[in-house]
C-alpha cells in the first residue's frame, strides 16, 4: 500500500513566475480485481475478450458439463456476434476454454449477463470471480449503470459478494413460458 | 439518477367494459376493408384482442403459433373509432418504425419517468433488437386534412438474436390506458420474438405489474431463478 505525493512547496517571490509543478498523487490503496491478470497468467490461464479463437464445440462441452442444454454451435456463433461483451479463460495446457461469461444489452442503459460457466474441474479457485469482476468493470466503463442477471438459487451466494442484489425494491425477474400460457 | 430500465408498466389491469357492438362491426369491417394484410392474420389477431377485452382475465391471450409461416405485417391497426364529428382515430401497432426520441421523451414525461439524454435514448433504440410502438392516427373527415400521428405507447426488446430476449421500457400514454393496449403491445412483441425463434423471453417487473405480466404468460422466479441487479440505487 503505497501512497506517493509530490506537491509544490512554498515558492519564494523570486520564483513566482515559474509555472508551479503539477500536483501528482499516485495511490495503490486497493487493487482493482481480487485476482490480477498476472496471477491468472502464472497459474496457467489466459484471459480472452474476443471469441475469434474460441472453439464453440469446446464451449458447448463446458455448457453441457454444468447442466446447460447442448446448443447448436451455429446459433451460439450468432449469439456471440450480437453480444456486447464477453470474457473467457483458456487453460494454456489444453488450449481449451474452462470459463466463460457474456453480456448483452442496448449498450447504453442496460446490460444482462448470461451463460456464466466454469468447468466443474476448475471450479472453486476463483475463475468465476475473475470473469465477473472484469465483465462488470467493462460494462461500467461503458457507463452502463443497469447490470442485471438471472441466478439459479444455488448461485445466489456467488453473485451477492460481487455486488448483486436479488429483487431490489420488489422488482421480480420474469420469464415467458409457452407451457405456462397454454395451461390456462 | 435512477434509470428506469426495467419494465414498469403504466397500464392498469382494471376490468374493461365490453365495447358496444357497433364498434365491433366498425373494427372488423375496418380491418376487412383496409386490405393491408391477409384477413386471416387480422382474424387471429382480432380473436386474441377480443379475449383481452372480455372481463375474464384468465382467458388465453396468445394462441399457439400455427404450423405454417403466417405472413405478418409490420403494422397492424388495433382499434378504429369514429368520433361524432366524423374524425377517424386509428390505434396502430408497428414493429419496424423509427421512434422520434423527442416524441418518446414527451410520452415518458406523461407517465413521470425521469428524462434521459436524447442521444443516449437514440443509441439504446438503435441497439435494441426490436422496438414496438403504438400510434394514434387521427384522420379528419375532409379528404385533404393531414393525418395527426401521435406516439401513445412503446416497448422494446434487446436480444442476442439467437437465444435470449429481454423486454424493457413498456409504456402506454395514461389517457390510453385501461383499454388493453399495453397487453396488445407486449403480446405482439412476444409473437414477433417467437416467430424469430428466440426461445427465452424475459423481463424485470415492478411489483405492481407482476400480475399484468402473469396474465401474458410470464412467470416470476421460475424454478427459483432470481433476477439480480448490480448495486441497485433504490
Amino acid at each position: 500500500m503505497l501512497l506517493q505525493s509530490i506537491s509544490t512547496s512554498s515558492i519564494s517571490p523570486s520564483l513566482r513566475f515559474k509555472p508551479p509543478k503539477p500536483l501528482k498523487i499516485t495511490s495503490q490503496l486497493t487493487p482493482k480485481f481480487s485476482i490480477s491478470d498476472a496471477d491468472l497468467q502464472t497459474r496457467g490461464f489466459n484471459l480472452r475478450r474476443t471469441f475469434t479463437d474460441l472453439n464453440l464445440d469446446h464451449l458447448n462441452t463446458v455448457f453441457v458439463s454444468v447442466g446447460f442444454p447442448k446448443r447448436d454451435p451455429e446459433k451460439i456463433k450468432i449469439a456471440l456476434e450480437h453480444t456486447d461483451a464477453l470474457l473467457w479463460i483458456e487453460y494454456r495446457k489444453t488450449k481449451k476454454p474452462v470459463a466463460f461469461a457474456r453480456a448483452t444489452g442496448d449498450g447504453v442503459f442496460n446490460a444482462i449477463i448470461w451463460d456464466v460457466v466454469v468447468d466443474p474441474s476448475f471450479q472453486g479457485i476463483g475463475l468465476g470471480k475473475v470473469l465477473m469482476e472484469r465483465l462488470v468493470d467493462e460494462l461500467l466503463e461503458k457507463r452502463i449503470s443497469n447490470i442485471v442477471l438471472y441466478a439459479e438459487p444455488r448461485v445466489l451466494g456467488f453473485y451477492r459478494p460481487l455486488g448483486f442484489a436479488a429483487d431490489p425494491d420488489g422488482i421480480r425477474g420474469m420469464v415467458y413460458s409457452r407451457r405456462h400460457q397454454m395451461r390456462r | 439518477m435512477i434509470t428506469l430500465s426495467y419494465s414498469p408498466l403504466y397500464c392498469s389491469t382494471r376490468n374493461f367494459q365490453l365495447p358496444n357492438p357497433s364498434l365491433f362491426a366498425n373494427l372488423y369491417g375496418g380491418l376487412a376493408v383496409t386490405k393491408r394484410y391477409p384477413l386471416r392474420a387480422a382474424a387471429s389477431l382480432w380473436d386474441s384482442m377480443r379475449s383481452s377485452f372480455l372481463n375474464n382475465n384468465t382467458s388465453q391471450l396468445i394462441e399457439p403459433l400455427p404450423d405454417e409461416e403466417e405472413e405478418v405485417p409490420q403494422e397492424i391497426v388495433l382499434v378504429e373509432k369514429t368520433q361524432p364529428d366524423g374524425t377517424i382515430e386509428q390505434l396502430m401497432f408497428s414493429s419496424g418504425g423509427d421512434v422520434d426520441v423527442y416524441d418518446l421523451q414527451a410520452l415518458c414525461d406523461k407517465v413521470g419517468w425521469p428524462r434521459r439524454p436524447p442521444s443516449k435514448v437514440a443509441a439504446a433504440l438503435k441497439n435494441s433488437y426490436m422496438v414496438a410502438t403504438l400510434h394514434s392516427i387521427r384522420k379528419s373527415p375532409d379528404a385533404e386534412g393531414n393525418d395527426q400521428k401521435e406516439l401513445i405507447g412503446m416497448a422494446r426488446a434487446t436480444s442476442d438474436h439467437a437465444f435470449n430476449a429481454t423486454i424493457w421500457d413498456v409504456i402506454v400514454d395514461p389517457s390510453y390506458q385501461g383499454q388493453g393496449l399495453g397487453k396488445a403491445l407486449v403480446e405482439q412483441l412476444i409473437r414477433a420474438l417467437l416467430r424469430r425463434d428466440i426461445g427465452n423471453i424475459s423481463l424485470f417487473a415492478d411489483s405492481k405489474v407482476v400480475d399484468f405480466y402473469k396474465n401474458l404468460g410470464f412467470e416470476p422466479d421460475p424454478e427459483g431463478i432470481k433476477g439480480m441487479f448490480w448495486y441497485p440505487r433504490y
Side-chain angles (χ1 to χ4, degrees):
Chain A
M1 300 227 261
L2 214 61
L3 187 74
Q4 295 171 326
S5 76
I6 307 161
S7 60
T8 53
S9 47
S10 52
I11 307 166
S12 66
S14 60
L15 299 170
R16 216 176 280 160
F17 294 104
K18 267 194 186 167
K21 280 185 192 165
L23 194 71
K24 213 198 233 180
I25 300 175
T26 54
S27 68
Q28 289 171 343
L29 291 165
T30 33
K32 200 175 190 188
F33 302 124
S34 13
I35 300 170
S36 69
D37 287 5
D39 277 345
L40 204 58
Q41 272 290 310
T42 51
R43 289 182 203 191
F45 300 103
N46 290 335
L47 184 71
R48 310 292 287 270
R49 289 171 186 266
T50 63
F51 66 96
T52 22
D53 295 326
L54 176 56
N55 182 313
L56 298 182
D57 289 317
H58 292 162
L59 180 63
N60 229 349
T61 310
V62 183
F63 282 153
V64 169
S65 72
V66 299
F68 284 16
K70 190 170 179 198
R71 295 160 170 177
D72 178 6
E74 277 308 307
K75 262 199 148 181
I76 297 179
K77 186 155 176 269
I78 295 171
L80 297 185
E81 282 162 2
H82 296 100
T83 288
D84 282 6
L86 68 89
L87 282 152
W88 58 285
I89 295 175
E90 180 185 37
Y91 187 41
R92 270 206 300 279
K93 206 151 117 183
T94 57
K95 296 221 189 315
K96 287 187 176 177
V98 292
F100 178 86
R102 66 183 179 108
T104 60
D106 55 28
V108 186
F109 301 124
N110 312 304
I112 318 109
I113 297 177
W114 304 101
D115 300 338
V116 181
V117 297
V118 178
D119 187 306
S121 326
F122 291 86
Q123 287 179 10
I125 58 174
L127 294 182
K129 205 174 187 180
V130 162
L131 290 181
M132 284 302 300
E133 285 179 343
R134 283 159 178 78
L135 191 54
V136 168
D137 185 64
E138 192 177 328
L139 295 169
L140 291 172
E141 298 255 306
K142 295 186 184 181
R143 297 263 181 273
I144 297 171
S145 51
N146 192 34
I147 303 170
V148 301
L149 53 85
Y150 293 92
E152 287 176 35
R154 61 190 172 89
V155 292
L156 291 171
F158 166 73
Y159 289 110
R160 243 178 255 124
L162 292 164
F164 288 87
D167 299 351
D169 211 34
I171 299 170
R172 309 281 292 283
M174 300 182 85
V175 178
Y176 180 71
S177 164
R178 250 178 290 198
R179 260 178 290 123
H180 189 235
Q181 184 63 354
M182 284 177 189
R183 221 185 290 140
R184 294 168 147 271
Chain B
M1 186 187 93
I2 299 170
T3 50
L4 290 167
S5 315
Y6 55 98
S7 298
L9 183 76
Y10 293 86
C11 183
S12 66
T13 49
R14 284 177 255 151
N15 293 325
F16 359 71
Q17 298 296 317
L18 193 67
N20 62 61
S22 62
L23 173 62
F24 266 37
N26 212 9
L27 174 58
Y28 204 81
L31 287 174
V33 159
T34 28
K35 280 187 183 158
R36 275 196 257 179
Y37 33 79
L39 190 60
R40 212 176 103 254
S44 67
L45 168 66
W46 171 240
D47 282 344
S48 69
M49 273 298 297
R50 182 171 50 191
S51 66
S52 76
F53 279 114
L54 296 173
N55 243 349
N56 179 9
N57 277 342
T58 60
S59 62
Q60 186 171 310
L61 291 170
I62 300 173
E63 308 141 12
L65 291 177
D67 288 330
E68 70 271 21
E69 256 300 310
E70 200 175 277
E71 186 202 301
V72 177
Q74 278 200 333
E75 285 186 339
I76 302 172
V77 177
L78 297 178
V79 180
E80 192 171 287
K81 300 176 209 175
T82 309
Q83 316 283 16
D85 65 356
T87 326
I88 297 174
E89 184 188 21
Q90 282 184 336
L91 300 182
M92 191 165 78
F93 167 89
S94 167
S95 64
D98 288 323
V99 180
D100 181 311
V101 291
Y102 292 101
D103 286 346
L104 183 57
Q105 190 177 79
L107 185 56
C108 290
D109 286 348
K110 285 184 190 172
V111 301
W113 283 7
R115 282 197 172 184
R116 301 175 181 182
S119 55
K120 281 199 164 188
V121 174
L125 291 171
K126 187 161 164 281
N127 293 331
S128 296
Y129 182 59
M130 205 174 281
V131 179
T133 55
L134 278 173
H135 281 94
S136 149
I137 303 168
R138 282 175 209 266
K139 299 173 199 263
S140 54
D142 48 54
E144 52 171 73
N146 288 327
D147 292 353
Q148 280 186 307
K149 199 175 181 188
E150 194 195 349
L151 181 70
I152 58 166
M154 191 209 67
R156 65 185 178 101
T158 55
S159 172
D160 58 16
H161 300 219
F163 303 117
N164 310 301
T166 310
I167 297 177
W168 305 98
D169 301 341
V170 181
I171 182 172
V172 175
D173 186 316
S175 40
Y176 286 87
Q177 288 179 15
Q179 295 178 38
L181 291 172
K183 279 191 172 175
L185 190 57
V186 177
E187 216 187 74
Q188 288 304 319
L189 192 53
I190 293 170
R191 277 173 173 247
L193 291 168
L194 290 174
R195 237 178 267 122
R196 294 187 201 189
D197 236 2
I198 310 284
N200 187 35
I201 304 172
S202 56
L203 54 84
F204 294 90
D206 207 17
S207 50
K208 290 190 282 257
V209 294
V210 168
D211 285 335
F212 172 88
Y213 288 107
K214 272 189 185 166
N215 275 337
L216 282 161
F218 286 87
E219 204 186 323
D221 306 341
E223 291 169 28
I225 293 173
K226 289 246 155 234
M228 296 186 94
F229 286 62
W230 192 81
Y231 287 112
R233 282 170 285 181
Y234 299 112

